[in-house]
């Protein structure tokens, strides 16, 4: 049986270079407070930012923290400010090639600033349609809003993104509501949707997002709720109960900080968190007909999973540290041990 | 001295709001300075929708809150045109980044 590398708590200070794990796909569910922002970096160093959270400085600081050097595509799941505000500095700084959007403009100044920034950056608008985008060896499938969604409801026109790398699947669907998930269920066979190894909770765990029928198709193994202090009651008890019912392990950015998923070409993956308690991941899901991965340079996989109940990180070797995106480890940080620090200068796995 | 002279209308109660999103009983609104706030939906005009421009005015000591339909339409039209132009050359088929 495959094992999942359950690495323990990492601090945000352990952030490493954007493409520090050769051969691995890195997905970071960024801790942007109440809002969504997901940074996807392929083994080839190609990057996508799916939503940007509600704060320009916060997103910019996170891009600096993770040493982002370039962005090839930014995506707005929809026009709400808690999803698009951080895209503004991202577009200005990195002038991405494409701006994926649902084709429905917002009326806010924030929206206007984002589109103006894209115009000035020479970024090409990309209306969501059923389309495959290859991010090096990582395949992104765009889930366009299904037909019949009312044009004046941004949530119902959220753009989804299915991320595939080897046997690994992640899914993000913005702030979709039940009507949109019903539309997708009519459009896609359940086998095309699930099982999903890592799934972004719809609409920060709102009442009208995830629902039993949708989750029965998606079959999420691990759910990340991107959420911060809010007045809306997110995540709701209803959403949490749904995730529990499908047996998913839940990660919350308000409690655990940025949630990082490191995926090997084989589909094995490790989930680490910025802070908070250790949350062991559910193992990879198996699909009847796995998607053949494109060739990718295999990376060393740490052979030993961390102790599930450990209060601190454990890395079998420096390869494991790098795969987790934690190099270099500084003395005093979780996971540091002299055995990994050959020259004893307090910086392991330099 | 009238009541108005004693209590000048605070600036916070005048101006324009744009409804960014409606979340249950709350509306997230964007103020003129670009910041966002959560307002009780019940405090906004009945039937207010996402994207609406809401105007706050004070006359005779009363606060009037109304949807500015003309400005809403104008903003929607301009923004949609701008986005359509940006999206005009959307490539089709599989994309390699």
């Amino acid at each position: 049986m495959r094992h999942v590398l359950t690495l323990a708590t990492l601090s945000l200070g352990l952030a490493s270079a954007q493409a520090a794990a050769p051969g691995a796909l890195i997905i970071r569910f960024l801790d942007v407070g109440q809002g969504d922002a997901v940074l996807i970096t392929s083994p080839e160093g190609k990057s996508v930012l799916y939503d940007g959270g509600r704060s320009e400085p916060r997103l910019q600081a996170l891009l600096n923290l993770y040493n982002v050097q370039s962005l090839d595509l930014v995506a707005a799941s929809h026009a709400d400010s808690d999803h698009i505000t951080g895209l503004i500095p991202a577009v200005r700084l990195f002038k991405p090639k494409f701006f994926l959007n649902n084709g429905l403009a917002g009326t806010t100044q924030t929206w206007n600033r984002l589109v103006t920034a894209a115009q000035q950056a020479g970024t090409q608008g990309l209306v969501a349609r059923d389309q495959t985008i290859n991010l090096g060896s990582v395949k992104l499938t765009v889930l366009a809003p299904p037909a019949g969604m009312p044009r004046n409801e941004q949530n119902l026109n959220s753009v989804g993104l299915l991320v595939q790398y080897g046997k690994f699947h992640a899914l993000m669907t913005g702030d979709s509501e039940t009507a949109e998930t019903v539309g997708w269920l009519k459009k896609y066979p359940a086998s095309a949707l699930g099982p999903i190894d890592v799934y972004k909770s719809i609409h920060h765990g709102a009442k009208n997002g995830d629902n039993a029928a949708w989750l029965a198709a998606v079959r999420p193994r691990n759910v990340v709720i991107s959420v911060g202090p809010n007045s809306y009651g997110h995540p709701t008890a209803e959403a949490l109960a749904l995730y529990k019912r499908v047996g998913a392990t839940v990660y919350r950015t308000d409690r655990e900080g940025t949630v990082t998923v490191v995926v090997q070409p084989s589909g094995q993956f490790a989930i680490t968190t910025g802070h908070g308690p250790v949350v062991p991941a559910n193992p990879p899901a198996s699909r009847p007909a796995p998607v053949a991965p494109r060739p990718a340079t295999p990376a060393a996989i740490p052979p030993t999973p961390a102790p599930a109940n450990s209060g601190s990180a454990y890395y079998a070797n420096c390869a494991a540290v790098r795969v987790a995106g934690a190099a270099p480890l500084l003395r005093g940080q979780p996971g540091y041990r002299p055995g990994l620090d050959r020259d004893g200068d307090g910086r392991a796995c330099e | 001295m009238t009541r108005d002279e004693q209590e000048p209308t605070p600036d916070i109660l005048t101006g324009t709001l744009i409804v960014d999103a409606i979340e249950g009983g709350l509306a997230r609104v964007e103020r003129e300075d670009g910041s966002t706030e959560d307002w009780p939906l019940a405090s906004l005009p009945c039937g207010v929708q996402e994207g609406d421009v809401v105007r706050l005015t004070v006359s005779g000591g009363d606060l009037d809150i109304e949807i500015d339909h003309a400005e809403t339409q104008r903003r929607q039209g301009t923004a949609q045109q701008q986005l359509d132009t940006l999206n005009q050359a959307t490539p089709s088929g599989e994309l390699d980044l």
Side-chain angles (χ1 to χ4, degrees):
Chain A
M1 183 178 146
R2 288 193 212 93
H3 64 253
V4 171
L5 309 171
T6 306
L7 302 180
T9 308
L10 298 174
S11 82
L12 274 176
L14 295 179
S16 63
Q18 186 182 9
L25 158 70
I26 302 176
I27 304 177
R28 295 186 199 276
F29 295 86
L30 300 173
D31 177 11
V32 290
Q34 175 72 10
D36 271 357
V38 186
L39 178 64
I40 305 166
T41 305
S42 77
E44 296 81 8
K46 300 274 182 184
S47 287
V48 166
L49 183 62
Y50 175 84
D51 286 337
R54 67 190 308 157
S55 159
E56 291 188 48
R58 188 157 182 168
L59 199 280
Q60 198 165 334
L62 286 163
L63 293 176
N64 286 338
L65 180 68
Y66 293 113
N67 198 20
V68 173
Q69 302 293 320
S70 64
L71 283 176
D72 298 278
L73 179 147
V74 295
S77 64
H78 62 303
D80 285 1
S81 65
D82 56 334
H83 293 251
I84 63 165
T85 308
L87 294 180
I88 299 168
V91 168
R92 285 182 183 152
L93 281 169
F94 297 113
K95 299 180 171 42
K97 199 184 285 182
F98 294 111
F99 166 45
L100 178 65
N101 61 84
N102 65 6
L104 300 175
T107 58
T108 58
Q109 299 172 67
T110 308
W111 174 263
N112 177 261
R113 290 172 59 230
L114 172 59
V115 177
T116 301
Q119 282 175 326
Q120 289 170 348
T123 297
Q124 171 63 55
L126 191 60
V127 187
R129 50 173 76 134
D130 295 332
Q131 191 170 30
T132 298
I133 300 172
N134 297 310
L135 190 64
S137 53
V138 177
K139 182 175 151 186
L140 308 177
T141 303
V142 177
L143 271 60
M149 294 298 110
R151 290 178 62 84
N152 61 345
E153 297 266 359
Q154 281 286 342
N155 286 357
L156 284 170
N157 286 280
S158 289
V159 178
L161 213 55
L162 175 67
V163 182
Q164 290 173 260
Y165 182 52
K167 294 173 183 169
F168 173 87
H169 294 73
L171 180 60
M172 291 151 253
T173 56
D175 281 0
S176 316
E177 295 179 7
T178 303
E180 186 171 27
T181 59
V182 166
W184 277 329
L185 286 174
K186 284 182 187 161
K187 193 171 169 182
Y188 304 110
S191 60
L193 295 169
I196 293 295
D197 297 301
V198 178
Y199 174 73
K200 189 199 73 66
S201 162
I202 293 182
H203 200 171
H204 329 289
K207 225 181 240 185
N208 56 355
D210 280 303
N211 55 83
W214 173 249
L215 290 181
V218 170
R219 289 170 286 159
R221 305 284 295 149
N222 300 281
V223 174
V224 181
I225 308 176
S226 191
V227 69
N230 66 87
S231 319
Y232 320 123
H234 299 164
T236 60
E238 290 88 343
L240 293 172
L242 284 169
Y243 305 142
K244 192 175 178 185
R245 212 170 298 149
V246 296
T249 296
V250 172
Y251 297 82
R252 294 173 52 159
T253 58
D254 59 339
R255 292 182 180 171
E256 280 109 39
T258 291
V259 176
T260 302
V261 186
V262 179
V263 189
Q264 303 303 325
S266 63
Q268 289 181 317
F269 60 92
I271 299 179
T272 59
T273 59
H275 52 77
V278 176
V279 183
N282 268 338
S286 59
R287 288 183 176 231
V291 177
R294 288 178 160 220
T297 310
I301 299 170
T304 314
N309 296 317
S310 168
S312 61
Y314 174 80
Y315 301 101
N317 51 39
C318 281
V321 175
R322 293 191 184 100
V323 165
L329 277 177
L330 307 181
R331 186 180 285 131
Q333 290 181 325
Y336 172 89
R337 58 190 171 87
L340 298 174
D341 186 2
R342 283 186 180 181
D343 55 7
D345 68 348
R347 291 168 61 87
C349 307
E350 294 166 88
Chain B
M1 188 178 279
T2 66
R3 186 171 176 273
D4 285 347
E5 286 166 333
Q6 289 168 345
E7 296 173 21
T9 306
D11 287 344
I12 197 169
L13 287 180
T14 60
T16 300
L17 308 172
I18 301 174
V19 180
D20 174 50
I22 293 173
E23 304 269 7
L26 293 173
R28 187 170 56 244
V29 298
E30 185 187 65
R31 298 204 61 120
E32 286 173 9
D33 65 359
S35 63
T36 56
E37 293 171 358
D38 291 324
W39 282 41
L41 195 53
S43 67
L44 296 174
C46 191
V48 73
Q49 293 184 338
E50 197 176 282
D52 279 345
V53 177
V54 176
R55 205 164 287 286
L56 312 178
T57 49
V58 176
S59 61
D62 292 327
L63 175 65
D64 289 328
I65 306 181
E66 57 183 3
I67 301 169
D68 187 336
H69 292 287
E71 178 61 9
T72 301
Q73 272 196 325
R74 191 195 66 76
R75 289 191 73 91
Q76 272 170 349
T78 307
Q80 192 60 50
Q81 198 172 29
Q82 187 188 20
L83 181 64
D84 290 345
T85 303
L86 190 72
N87 286 337
Q88 206 166 19
T90 290
S92 56
E94 200 160 314
L95 276 185
D96 290 315
L97 294 183

